[in-house]
Amino acid sequence: NGIKVLGTPLGRQEFVKAHADERLGDEKRFLDRVRGVRDLQCAWLLLTYCAVPRANHFLRVLPPGEVLDYAQRHDDAVWQCFCQLLGAGRLATDRLGRAVATLPARLGGLGLRSAARTAPSAYWAAWVDAAPVLASKAPRLSALLQQQAELEVTPACLHALQEAKRTLEAEGCANMPTWAEAVQGARAPYAEDPDAGEWKRGWQYHASSAREHHFSERVVLP
């Protein structure tokens, strides 16, 4: 009772979980290959630039609550692989060490970004990015979405969108566009000065950055 769209399962929870399990199996096979790479620098690059981001498509399409189990298991598999690569199995249960490692490098971490923490940012940003396309290709649907997004009783996907937005707002994400502004193609704010180390990024980067700062200040630093 579901369908796969561009590799992402949509449908009943059982259907989504079955395909998430299959996807996780593929990821674990990849991590097993990474562990076998003799050059540690190459293994590290494969882990950070290939293994870590592999969850992002799921995070952008599936509601955070629906993707949470998969995201947590993805994070666990990445962390275990990291500890094994460095011969640091004793740190596998070190919660603070793991928390620091999941922060981006600009906040003093290792860039092993947490899929579970990224999920609300990715899901909300995906809707904002899709808004102009929906308005152009399916204007009646876009208008209906805007109406329903303002109601207390909404479809599950829009309820998840509202929850994700509330989470981001509570954690200090500023300049979040309304649906009407998103339809008009609102762009995420970014630093104008390239020397500041920030580049012209999209809404997921903007929202995730707020979550990472909140996590660093409220969880890690204390």
Side-chain angles (χ1 to χ4, degrees), residues 134-157:
L134 288 172
S136 173
K137 302 295 184 182
R140 293 174 63 184
L141 174 61
S142 177
L144 180 63
L145 288 172
Q146 183 172 352
Q147 293 172 5
Q148 292 188 335
E150 298 170 356
L151 301 176
E152 293 185 4
V153 180
T154 63
C157 60

Side-chain angles (χ1 to χ4, degrees), residues 160-172:
L161 174 62
Q162 292 171 340
E163 286 292 317
K165 186 175 182 180
R166 281 193 285 268
T167 296
L168 295 171
E169 288 174 335
E171 296 184 0

Side-chain angles (χ1 to χ4, degrees), residues 17-18 23 29 63 65 80 99 108 110 114 128 133 144 157 170 177 185 200:
K17 185 180 185 305
R23 172 66 174 267
R29 282 188 288 273
Q80 290 167 8
L110 296 178
S114 166
V128 175
V133 180
L144 180 63
C157 60
K200 189 174 182 180

Side-chain angles (χ1 to χ4, degrees), residues 78-92:
V78 168
W79 176 245
Q80 290 167 8
C81 181
F82 168 76
C83 290
Q84 290 173 2
L85 285 177
L86 271 68
R90 60 186 176 81
L91 296 178

Side-chain angles (χ1 to χ4, degrees), residues 20 24 55 58-59 64 66-77 98 114-119:
L24 198 64
F58 266 32
L59 304 184
E66 199 169 305
V67 80
L68 181 60
D69 177 68
Y70 158 78
Q72 290 175 334
R73 290 189 291 157
H74 165 89
D75 291 346
D76 290 343
R98 179 171 174 172
S114 166
R117 196 160 66 247
T118 300

